[in-house]
Amino acid sequence: MLLAKRLPARLGKVLHFAPEPCMTKWLASLTDDYHTADLLLPTVMHKEDICNMSFADNTFDLVWCSHILEHVADDHKAMREIRRVLKPNGLAVIQVPVWGARTSDEPLNTPEERVLKYFQEDHVRRYGADIENRLRAADLALETLRLGDLDLHVVLRHGLSDLCGSDVFLTSKAVA
């Protein structure tokens, strides 16, 4: 299922974490209630720690979180927070770089060590295919879009990176 087919023509409340300029205009065009958030970016509407958001439970119809979790010390907590602020029928779009089968998140002390191990000095982990298990452990239902299976036009239109195996994870609150 393509991402565009998964989203309704108009959305309710949207949260775009660490907003990428290439995505802002498109996401904002889908709603009259568009919100940006980040802990460090000075141009966002809300200064928010993704591990401890101030938003009420069940607030957002869509949470867009692209290439954030590999920078966050406690990704399990961040995933649970995404689930908490997501409405019961909402959708969270999550993207991280994926390398290999298993996630590596051993603590490294220097930017040089992180570049060697995680390929970027501000990354605190290198995700593997087991990211799917981590998302499910946060009680998120999951559908994975493999970028290699998508039309290049779709990848470019939605600002999806096909570098380093960055699949797109469509998540929602798991139903018991």
Side-chain angles (χ1 to χ4, degrees):
M1 180 181 300
L2 295 177
L3 179 58
K5 290 182 180 177
R6 183 73 188 261
L7 296 175
R10 294 297 294 166
L11 292 169
K13 199 167 193 169
V14 172
L15 175 62
H16 187 182
F17 229 92
E20 313 89 336
C22 65
M23 295 301 300
T24 301
K25 185 177 179 182
W26 174 67
L27 286 172
S29 75
L30 299 176
T31 182
D32 295 324
D33 203 357
Y34 175 74
H35 298 263
T36 59
D38 192 82
L39 190 58
L40 303 174
L41 289 174
T43 57
V44 295
M45 300 164 141
H46 307 278
K47 292 286 185 194
E48 293 289 335
D49 178 348
I50 198 166
C51 293
N52 189 24
M53 291 187 251
S54 65
F55 304 113
D57 296 358
N58 305 315
T59 298
F60 295 99
D61 296 285
L62 174 69
V63 175
W64 193 275
C65 179
S66 181
H67 291 274
I68 309 300
L69 297 177
E70 65 272 17
H71 300 268
V72 175
D74 189 346
D75 66 331
H76 299 288
K77 190 170 184 185
M79 291 174 195
R80 289 190 305 271
E81 275 293 282
I82 290 169
R83 183 191 186 284
R84 183 185 66 75
V85 302
L86 195 62
K87 287 184 179 177
N89 292 319
L91 176 69
V93 177
I94 297 173
Q95 190 177 25
V96 297
V98 176
W99 299 82
R102 297 193 47 80
T103 297
S104 175
D105 57 2
E106 64 189 77
L108 300 174
N109 296 321
T110 68
E112 294 79 18
E113 288 177 315
R114 288 188 292 277
V115 167
L116 287 173
K117 181 79 174 190
Y118 303 141
F119 309 116
Q120 197 167 313
E121 67 182 35
D122 59 345
H123 285 189
V124 296
R125 78 187 43 79
R126 184 182 69 223
Y127 283 106
D130 62 344
I131 176 70
E132 294 180 351
N133 296 332
R134 292 167 92 101
L135 292 165
R136 287 185 188 103
D139 208 18
L140 289 164
L142 174 68
E143 178 184 349
T144 303
L145 297 180
R146 307 279 180 218
L147 289 190
D149 296 338
L150 299 177
D151 181 272
L152 180 60
H153 177 70
V154 172
V155 172
L156 295 174
R157 177 176 179 220
H158 296 293
L160 306 172
S161 168
D162 62 350
L163 301 175
C164 36
S166 297
D167 296 331
V168 178
F169 304 101
L170 304 180
T171 65
S172 57
K173 289 189 176 190
V175 179

